[in-house]
Amino acid sequence: MITTDICIIGAGPVGLFAVFEAGLLKMRCHLIDALPQVGGQLSEIYPQKPIYDIPGYPAINAQVLVDNLMEQIASFNPGFTLGERVEGLDRQSDGSYIVTTNEGTAVHCQVVVIAGGLGCFEPRKPEITNLERFEGKGVAYMVKNPEQLRDRRVVLAGGGDSALDWAVFLADVASEVTLVHRSDTFRGAPDSAEKVFNLASQGRINLVLQSTITSINGNGHLQEVSITAKDKTVTTLPADHLIPLFGLTPKLGPIADWGLTIDKSAIHVDTTDYSTNVERIYAIGDINTYPGKLKLILCGFHEAALMCQSAFRYVHPDQKLSFKYTTVNGVPTF
Amino acid sequence: MIQFTIQDRTGDRQPIEIPEGINLSLMEVLKASDYNILATCGGMALCATCHVQVLNGLDALSAPQDAELDMLDTLPDAESDSRLACQIRIDESVEGAIFRIKSDEPV
Ligand SMILES: Cc1cc2nc3c(=O)[nH]c(=O)nc-3n(C[C@H](O)[C@H](O)[C@H](O)COP(=O)(O)OP(=O)(O)OC[C@H]3O[C@@H](n4cnc5c(N)ncnc54)[C@H](O)[C@@H]3O)c2cc1C
Ligand code: FES
């Protein structure tokens, strides 16, 4: 089991900055995020957009801000569990918590900080008969390890950049790649679209356009997909894997069942320290709500600083906290 | 006055009237009218949480721009009459239109 002082749920900008504030007070952090990369909304929704309201930066590209935050916290050596979604929370008799993920990772901590933003980014699922029945049995919504697809028959669905990129990549890995798209043109990067059309003309990608996947079947594991064309004709294709790639959408998810006071998908907090109604659980950033709340990165940073001052008493109950500027002592490391 | 109709997720239809000359998007009108839509990106065609289907009056609307078409391409349930509410300006082109809210309900 992973042991840490603070378990931070969400590695968006606010969760990342909380590591810095915690580190200044000699508290160790472990972050968990459902996405395979850090950065939250900045990396997932708008990595190339400039942000204009970060103090000290007249303009900063969203992904650069995330990279800078990672550099800023590097000396505190936070732990990361990425690509896993927090599901369980168990209070221990001494008041500490064990946080668990959908993949069975367990983190023992003194304090839980929910920096979950809009919630978990979950895959957008198409309406395909039997889809959920075959999740983990041939159906996946992201390619975690392309090697698992080696010499297998793979069907991809979608028309965005990730569908195009994976079709090109898997043409060299899988025994058969089929890309199903509802239109007859691709609006992803023109370069990727051209590669897909070229590979299709060489017979290395099977392109099925103007069509959608309507049902899937198998005996325990996926065996075939049924594809319905615009003219309503249905064809059935043998397949070992189906990967629908339609992007992600945020959902509050399991946090909603933890006994926290929640209003319209946001957690109520006390603005003196951003604590929730449950002892040792704090909520900072876009996921919390209080009178006057602004969903801005800057506000989340402020909340992280106050939260850490309050969390200190649970992590170091025997020590007295004295406030110091970083300019006085510099940045301590572990 | 510009008049159009919103069909919510339960199938209920409500007429909406907006004075002419108000520079709002359909997404802003839906939010202001307390429809439960996320509109995460605030109208930048980056999140698709304002997806609507135009049941009537599609041809009268101004054509979607590249950013909107790119986003619609990533939706599993987009149809040829799909649009992003944040990219539709409320002007005379929406008169008589019927919009069905398609995006998931926020949870
Ligand atoms: C298009 C756009 C433009 C914006 N522009 C600006 C701007 O100019 N200035 C500004 O200040 N703000 C801007 N914002 C808002 C800003 O992005 C948010 O305020 C900020 O991302 C909030 O950070 P956060 O860390 O609280 O949450 P998020 O960035 O949402 O990160 C939360 C993370 O928690 C993870 N998570 C949630 N639940 C779980 C769980 N159960 N298990 C595991 N992981 C979980 C999610 O996967 C996510 O990665 C913009 C937002 C958008 C969409
Ligand atoms: S509000 Fe995000 S796409 Fe319309």
Side-chain angles (χ1 to χ4, degrees):
Chain A
M1 175 152 23
I2 298 163
T3 305
T4 191
D5 296 328
I6 301 182
C7 179
I8 302 178
I9 302 168
V14 176
L16 293 176
F17 188 64
V19 174
F20 182 78
E21 288 296 318
L24 291 179
L25 304 181
K26 296 226 181 303
M27 298 188 286
R28 287 173 188 276
C29 296
H30 189 89
L31 296 104
I32 306 177
D33 204 299
L35 292 173
Q37 80 278 335
V38 301
Q41 293 169 55
L42 282 65
S43 303
E44 188 55 39
I45 306 182
Y46 61 108
Q48 299 314 330
K49 294 235 166 241
I51 307 174
Y52 298 101
D53 53 353
I54 302 297
Y57 289 102
I60 183 165
N61 171 288
Q63 188 56 47
V64 174
L65 177 61
V66 172
D67 296 345
N68 286 0
L69 283 164
M70 288 297 282
E71 192 184 326
Q72 190 174 16
I73 63 175
S75 58
F76 295 122
N77 282 316
F80 287 97
T81 299
L82 297 177
E84 295 184 25
R85 155 180 153 142
V86 171
E87 306 232 308
L89 178 75
D90 288 305
R91 195 184 164 90
Q92 307 299 292
S93 53
D94 63 354
S96 63
Y97 282 100
I98 294 179
V99 175
T100 45
T101 73
N102 60 330
E103 309 245 330
T105 304
V107 179
H108 180 238
C109 59
Q110 298 303 320
V111 170
V112 176
V113 173
I114 306 172
L118 302 165
C120 258
F121 285 92
E122 291 183 6
R124 291 197 192 100
K125 296 184 186 179
E127 264 182 48
I128 296 177
T129 309
N130 291 337
L131 187 69
E132 303 208 334
R133 224 175 88 198
F134 288 99
E135 283 175 2
K137 299 174 187 124
V139 171
Y141 302 97
M142 58 172 96
V143 183
K144 272 199 179 168
N145 176 7
E147 271 313 304
Q148 285 173 344
L149 304 175
R150 185 164 293 280
D151 302 328
R152 315 281 297 193
R153 295 166 300 187
V154 181
V155 177
L156 301 165
D161 284 323
S162 52
L164 294 171
D165 292 347
W166 279 117
V168 172
F169 183 89
L170 293 173
D172 286 333
V173 176
S175 64
E176 222 175 273
V177 177
T178 304
L179 176 57
V180 183
H181 178 41
R182 93 180 141 252
S183 158
D184 56 1
T185 52
F186 288 101
R187 300 195 42 84
D191 181 48
S192 317
E194 200 183 307
K195 276 191 198 141
V196 166
F197 283 119
N198 282 342
L199 287 166
S201 65
Q202 295 162 25
R204 292 176 58 207
I205 291 179
N206 178 19
L207 257 190
V208 185
L209 300 176
Q210 305 243 45
S211 302
T212 49
I213 297 171
T214 37
S215 72
I216 55 177
N217 266 306
N219 188 3
H221 193 277
L222 179 74
Q223 283 171 318
E224 59 180 33
V225 302
S226 297
I227 301 171
T228 306
K230 274 233 164 89
D231 63 11
K232 305 278 181 242
T233 52
V234 180
T235 43
T236 302
L237 198 78
D240 306 308
H241 295 272
L242 167 64
I243 307 168
L245 293 166
F246 294 104
L248 303 171
T249 186
K251 298 257 161 72
L252 189 56
I255 292 169
D257 307 322
W258 289 357
L260 302 162
T261 311
I262 292 183
D263 179 24
K264 286 196 185 150
S265 307
I267 302 170
H268 271 275
V269 286
D270 175 346
T271 49
T272 53
D273 60 358
Y274 302 96
S275 56
T276 67
N277 59 313
V278 180
E279 202 184 9
R280 295 185 187 229
I281 303 185
Y282 295 81
I284 56 175
D286 276 14
I287 196 134
N288 74 15
T289 182
Y290 50 84
K293 168 73 183 176
L294 285 180
K295 288 190 181 185
L296 287 177
I297 299 165
L298 157 89
C299 301
F301 287 172
H302 157 86
E303 294 163 14
L306 266 64
M307 173 278 292
C308 284
Q309 300 283 319
S310 171
F312 185 86
R313 68 198 144 119
Y314 297 117
V315 177
H316 299 297
D318 47 341
Q319 290 177 30
K320 197 171 165 296
L321 178 64
S322 63
F323 173 81
K324 287 194 189 77
Y325 292 120
T326 54
T327 41
V328 177
N329 288 348
V331 176
T333 53
F334 288 131
Chain B
M1 284 291 194
I2 298 164
Q3 300 188 335
F4 52 94
T5 301
I6 304 297
Q7 179 175 322
D8 68 15
R9 295 178 184 87
T10 66
D12 253 21
R13 286 191 181 183
Q14 291 292 336
I16 294 208
E17 275 196 359
I18 303 284
E20 272 160 69
I22 287 189
N23 189 21
L24 288 177
S25 70
L26 176 61
M27 177 275 276
E28 288 161 331
V29 170
L30 291 174
K31 285 219 135 204
S33 315
D34 284 332
Y35 281 100
N36 206 2
I37 61 161
L38 267 175
T40 305
C41 74
M44 299 166 77
L46 287 174
C47 70
T49 55
C50 65
H51 181 191
V52 293
Q53 196 179 356
V54 188
L55 301 180
N56 186 47
L58 180 70
D59 293 342
L61 301 179
S62 50
Q65 301 295 298
D66 281 358
E68 180 176 357
L69 291 169
D70 286 352
M71 193 67 232
L72 288 171
D73 238 6
T74 67
L75 299 186
D77 54 348
E79 309 272 350
S80 50
D81 55 1
S82 284
R83 293 292 305 261
L84 297 177
C86 66
Q87 303 302 304
I88 298 175
R89 300 245 65 89
I90 299 301
D91 56 23
E92 56 286 357
S93 68
V94 303
E95 178 67 42
I98 303 174
F99 299 102
R100 174 180 163 226
I101 298 180
K102 269 282 259 200
S103 59
D104 290 346
E105 195 151 3
V107 278

